Amino acid sequence: MLDVVQSGVDRNIKTLLQEYGEEIIVETYVSDITNRVELEKIRDNLLSKYGHIDILINNAANNPKVEGGSSNLKALQFTNFPVEIWNQDIAVGLTGAMLCAQVFGGAMEQARSGIVLNISSDYGLIAPDQRVYRKAGLADDQQMIKPVSYSVVKHGIIGLTKYLAVYWAEKGIRVNTLCPASLHNNQNDDFVEKISDRIPMHRMSEPEEYVCTILYMISDAATYMTGSTVVCDGGRTIW
Ligand SMILES: NC(=O)c1ccc[n+]([C@@H]2O[C@H](COP(=O)([O-])OP(=O)(O)OC[C@H]3O[C@@H](n4cnc5c(N)ncnc54)[C@H](O)[C@@H]3O)[C@@H](O)[C@H]2O)c1
């Protein structure tokens, strides 16, 4: 599993280095964010090399989706939703974010400076409309659904942000949430059409459309922003 993650990370680094050459330094660590000891090792390594940690972005989550992969959507209706999957999803999406905030935020607390950006979702604000995942001809209990754990994790991330924003407000650490939505990723036409019908801009988003918002939120242009939920969703949550 970690090999697969490492090869994905290596691919991204190659792209970055091709684009920016020697202008940037990229250093990566692959780790399970539910393991506090592993996170502490990374923190200690970073602190001994660079002396400070400026930004933490909590992005990892189990995100079952329409497009392929082993963790894609399953026909697990709420009343039979396995508690094992619930526990795994909460462990990555909430406990992992909390542990990263403890470990890396702890270093920021010492320095009285830092920024935490937590990634939620439009599903941190609204419930999934399960009709977009339905396939014609399948019985109700065979239909794919977005799991309850995803909603709870994404709503919980906003709660974690608000808690930490207040907790660290006078200690120089800003904590905010970004809610992205509906990334276009070669999903089938039927799904794209159904989801676009629920978005006022009537289209899915591209990854590039989040870059400037993220840069703003983690920069000194946003020094008075903390505890905020920034929504980039083509208008989906206003309908
Ligand atoms: N794709 C979308 O349409 C969409 C929409 C709204 C919000 N989001 C949010 O954006 C974030 C990224 O989504 P994505 O679509 O890129 O998901 P993804 O499934 O492609 O990526 C999730 C990442 O989390 C990592 N991860 C899982 N468990 C881990 C663990 N225990 N330790 C360390 N890393 C772990 C995985 O390796 C993977 O790289 C998620 O928080 C998701 O909820 C995505």
Side-chain angles (χ1 to χ4, degrees), residues 1 5 31-34 58-63 65 67 92 119-122 150 154 180-183:
M1 171 67 185
V5 176
S31 155
D32 176 358
I33 56 163
T34 66
N58 276 317
N59 177 63
N62 289 341
N63 180 18
K65 27 192 163 177
E67 59 268 33
V92 177
I119 306 298
S120 178
S121 164
D122 49 345
Y150 191 73
K154 294 293 129 182
S182 311
L183 271 117

Side-chain angles (χ1 to χ4, degrees), residues 104-222:
F104 300 105
M108 294 174 187
E109 203 176 86
Q110 296 284 314
R112 296 191 73 82
S113 167
I115 295 164
V116 180
L117 175 60
N118 292 323
I119 306 298
S120 178
S121 164
D122 49 345
Y123 289 166
L125 299 166
I126 56 170
D129 182 343
Q130 303 289 359
R131 291 171 297 183
V132 299
Y133 307 108
R134 286 187 75 85
K135 283 207 177 108
L138 288 178
D140 277 359
D141 63 352
Q142 297 303 312
Q143 293 291 347
M144 306 292 141
I145 66 167
K146 199 83 175 174
V148 59
S149 43
Y150 191 73
S151 276
V152 172
V153 164
K154 294 293 129 182
H155 278 76
I157 279 288
I158 295 174
L160 178 68
T161 296
K162 291 180 183 175
Y163 181 95
L164 291 176
V166 171
Y167 184 77
W168 279 326
E170 294 181 67
K171 293 189 174 153
I173 306 175
R174 299 191 295 104
V175 189
N176 292 293
T177 303
L178 174 66
C179 292
S182 311
L183 271 117
H184 194 217
N185 189 17
N186 297 317
Q187 292 95 344
N188 64 65
D189 291 347
D190 178 51
F191 174 77
V192 172
E193 195 182 314
K194 279 195 282 191
I195 200 126
S196 300
D197 281 346
R198 285 156 176 84
I199 300 169
M201 289 177 79
H202 206 260
R203 65 173 178 84
M204 299 185 77
S205 64
E206 302 299 331
E208 300 74 40
E209 294 185 280
Y210 299 101
V211 173
C212 290
T213 309
I214 291 172
L215 286 176
Y216 165 68
M217 293 177 79
I218 61 173
S219 78
D220 284 347

